[in-house]
Amino acid sequence: MKIWFKTIFILIISIGLFACNSEGSNQLQLGVDRQDIYGPLLAGKNVGLMVNQSSLDSKGTHTIDKLVALESKYNFKVTTLFAVEHGIRGDKEAGEGDNDHIDDKTGLPIISLYGSDNGRPRARPTEDQLSNVDIVIYDLQDVGVRFFTYTISMHRMMESIQAYGKAFMVFDRPNPNGDYVYGPLLEEENVSGIGIHPIPMVHGLTSGELATMIVGQGWLTGVDEYRWSLFGAEQYRLPVEKLHVITMKNYTHQQPYSLPINPSPNLATDLAIRLYPALGLFEATSVNMGRGSSFPHEQLGFPDPSFYINTQYHIDPSITDYGWPQGGKTVYGERFNYANPQHYRASIKEFVRWWLAFQHNAKSLAIEYDQEANYLDYQESHFVIRPAWLAKLIGTKSFLADLQSYSKEVTELESLVKKLELRWKKDLDDYRYLYNKYKIYL
């Protein structure tokens, strides 16, 4: 394992960080900006692109347009586009994606990696879909949260890359939540479409660093991501020479980064992105987290005036079509305001605060797991209405069980939060060791 990791690290260093030191500017350069590094590596190859609306270089040129313009200079050919959740233009809601079609501007085929075709999950492209591709480039803006699905799509593409003998390249981008790590590690029983790696809720890695960790730890498992016993199996390892991370220049994890374009429809501001790990947990509750309002992922509300803190707002009724509670209602709660969003670090504090508020207002706290199939029936009466989904989001079923138990005796917010966080402290400390092993940037 040590030899495997060192080989990966040397490969990444050789195509990125040494080149960083030879250039004088202190300006941030994204992976996509560094054609002098990746251009020669693409020579003679057919190229597929995993991209969406966030795939822009530092001058605002889309990766598709940039790569097509570089074809003759470096003697490669862009042949295929791959679309993930929210679609190639980023205009689809959570849980939606494109269908296969032809791109109007370039005439290139777009293959959807989200949803299914006649029962076959699209997430892993088939051998036929990769037949005109030698290397796939991943260039999506992630937000550093385990349940944000772009890096899950990356992982699944890497499994097809390994299975069919192709190569994989990551144009690395900043992680806007990359200055810290937080939360429980995902447990194997909670593997799902929103989490497949044994990492914390806020993992602190760029996409390139995570790709390196996936390969170095042997986390590719063919098509059976629910069996972690397959971790490290040689038949599923991606050869290190098949992974190319085009590193950034002049980036550190402590460096604030304001995204030039939304990574998804409901992450529209820097504040929403910083709040996302904390407010994302409310997907499992009856509390609206701003979806269907003017400030998605910036406010919380429930249709009862007793929960008013500093805001009330109306929710678009159409969100009910997507399975979200409280559509068409006026809700009362809290809108978050931070002059500098970078000062906010997500935690379970907001979730626990609302749990205690429901408890204080004599509301029911959580439905049973076997009631979740009809969770919208409980949106007026209970706080947690999707307990299994909560376990998938936060990573462990023990969080809800502990909260139910501890809050019977501990009702002071800070004390309850600290008691809950102690439950995963050792695992998080162990993860930090792994994190430092694969970290490319300071």
Side-chain angles (χ1 to χ4, degrees):
M1 181 63 74
K2 289 182 179 179
I3 294 174
W4 187 276
F5 166 71
K6 286 178 180 177
T7 305
I8 296 173
F9 190 69
I10 290 168
L11 179 63
I12 292 169
I13 289 291
S14 68
I15 66 175
L17 294 186
F18 284 172
C20 287
N21 294 334
S22 67
E23 302 171 23
S25 173
N26 291 322
Q27 182 179 354
L28 172 67
Q29 289 188 10
L30 307 173
V32 66
D33 295 329
R34 312 190 70 197
Q35 60 263 29
D36 56 326
I37 295 174
Y38 62 76
L41 297 172
L42 300 178
K45 293 181 170 60
N46 288 335
V47 177
L49 300 177
M50 282 182 75
V51 291
N52 65 6
Q53 81 292 342
S54 71
S55 308
L56 303 177
D57 72 6
S58 293
K59 295 180 179 179
T61 303
H62 197 280
T63 300
I64 298 173
D65 301 325
K66 179 161 191 160
L67 269 288
V68 168
L70 290 171
E71 286 179 330
S72 58
K73 180 177 182 178
Y74 291 106
N75 187 32
F76 65 84
K77 181 69 175 174
V78 178
T79 61
T80 312
L81 307 177
F82 296 96
V84 297
E85 185 180 13
H86 304 298
I88 206 153
R89 303 300 174 197
D91 55 359
K92 306 296 183 183
E93 265 291 343
E96 289 193 318
D98 283 327
N99 289 313
D100 294 356
H101 64 285
I102 300 298
D103 182 53
D104 291 337
K105 184 174 181 179
T106 64
L108 293 169
I110 297 175
I111 295 174
S112 176
L113 301 178
Y114 199 80
S116 61
D117 287 319
N118 300 317
R120 184 195 75 82
R122 294 171 172 169
R124 297 172 182 83
T126 64
E127 185 172 15
D128 182 63
Q129 290 172 326
L130 289 172
S131 61
N132 199 28
V133 172
D134 300 309
I135 186 169
V136 171
I137 298 174
Y138 173 95
D139 188 25
L140 298 172
Q141 179 61 63
D142 190 52
V143 297
V145 182
R146 187 186 58 230
F147 49 75
F148 195 69
T149 60
Y150 292 168
T151 52
I152 297 171
S153 295
M154 178 182 77
H155 176 114
R156 290 166 171 169
M157 172 62 83
M158 291 169 71
E159 290 184 324
S160 287
I161 292 293
Q162 187 275 333
Y164 305 124
K166 309 296 182 176
F168 192 69
M169 180 177 286
V170 178
F171 285 174
D172 216 4
R173 291 180 173 272
N175 175 356
N177 286 304
D179 54 318
Y180 70 110
V181 299
Y182 181 81
L185 274 61
L186 180 69
E187 295 172 350
E188 185 176 7
E189 67 172 337
N190 299 308
V191 167
S192 73
I194 59 167
I196 58 178
H197 306 119
I199 58 178
M201 188 171 68
V202 183
H203 55 68
L205 299 167
T206 68
S207 296
E209 290 170 329
L210 181 56
T212 308
M213 183 181 286
I214 290 168
V215 172
Q217 293 300 113
W219 286 347
L220 300 180
T221 58
V223 298
D224 197 350
E225 61 200 30
Y226 294 88
R227 290 177 59 200
W228 286 358
S229 61
L230 296 174
F231 283 175
E234 288 299 322
Q235 67 265 36
Y236 300 124
R237 278 195 176 275
L238 181 68
V240 294
E241 66 271 14
K242 297 289 189 179
L243 173 64
H244 306 277
V245 176
I246 308 302
T247 58
M248 293 173 283
K249 178 188 176 185
N250 299 322
Y251 172 72
T252 72
H253 281 283
Q254 300 303 315
Q255 176 180 335
Y257 181 68
S258 180
L259 301 191
I261 192 166
N262 304 351
S264 67
N266 285 295
L267 295 179
T269 66
D270 294 338
L271 178 58
I273 289 166
R274 293 293 286 187
L275 288 166
Y276 177 62
L279 271 57
L281 296 179
F282 285 83
E283 288 186 5
T285 76
S286 58
V287 174
N288 174 270
M289 76 294 288
R291 287 183 183 272
S293 80
S294 299
F295 301 100
H297 288 289
E298 293 185 30
Q299 56 189 359
L300 297 167
F302 184 76
D304 181 336
S306 63
F307 289 86
Y308 179 87
I309 298 174
N310 64 9
T311 192
Q312 68 181 66
Y313 59 94
H314 188 75
I315 302 172
D316 191 311
S318 67
I319 71 165
T320 305
D321 297 337
Y322 300 98
W324 301 112
Q326 317 306 353
K329 300 173 186 175
T330 297
V331 297
Y332 307 83
E334 179 177 11
R335 183 177 170 198
F336 297 89
N337 293 286
Y338 290 89
N340 185 346
Q342 194 70 16
H343 292 163
Y344 179 84
R345 288 191 174 189
S347 80
I348 58 170
K349 186 174 181 177
E350 314 306 339
F351 192 93
V352 175
R353 187 198 312 276
W354 277 79
W355 174 278
L356 292 175
F358 267 70
Q359 185 170 276
H360 176 76
N361 285 289
K363 297 278 189 182
S364 299
L365 296 175
I367 66 171
E368 300 296 329
Y369 285 88
D370 60 7
Q371 297 175 301
E372 186 162 342
N374 301 307
Y375 64 90
L376 288 179
D377 293 347
Y378 305 95
Q379 62 181 300
E380 298 283 354
S381 57
H382 289 68
F383 176 52
V384 176
I385 58 175
R386 302 174 71 187
W389 191 249
L390 177 61
K392 291 175 172 62
L393 287 165
I394 199 161
T396 176
K397 288 183 176 179
S398 66
F399 172 69
L400 179 57
D402 291 341
L403 186 53
Q404 289 172 315
S405 174
Y406 297 165
S407 62
K408 292 175 182 177
E409 298 180 0
V410 181
T411 56
E412 196 276 319
L413 177 62
E414 298 292 343
S415 298
L416 183 54
V417 168
K418 289 179 181 178
K419 188 174 178 67
L420 290 162
E421 289 175 337
L422 280 174
R423 290 278 279 144
W424 63 73
K425 183 181 184 302
K426 182 183 182 304
D427 289 341
L428 194 59
D429 288 343
D430 291 343
Y431 169 76
R432 286 193 177 96
Y433 173 80
L434 190 68
Y435 163 82
N436 287 322
K437 178 179 176 182
Y438 289 99
K439 194 166 69 167
I440 298 172
Y441 312 96
L442 296 177

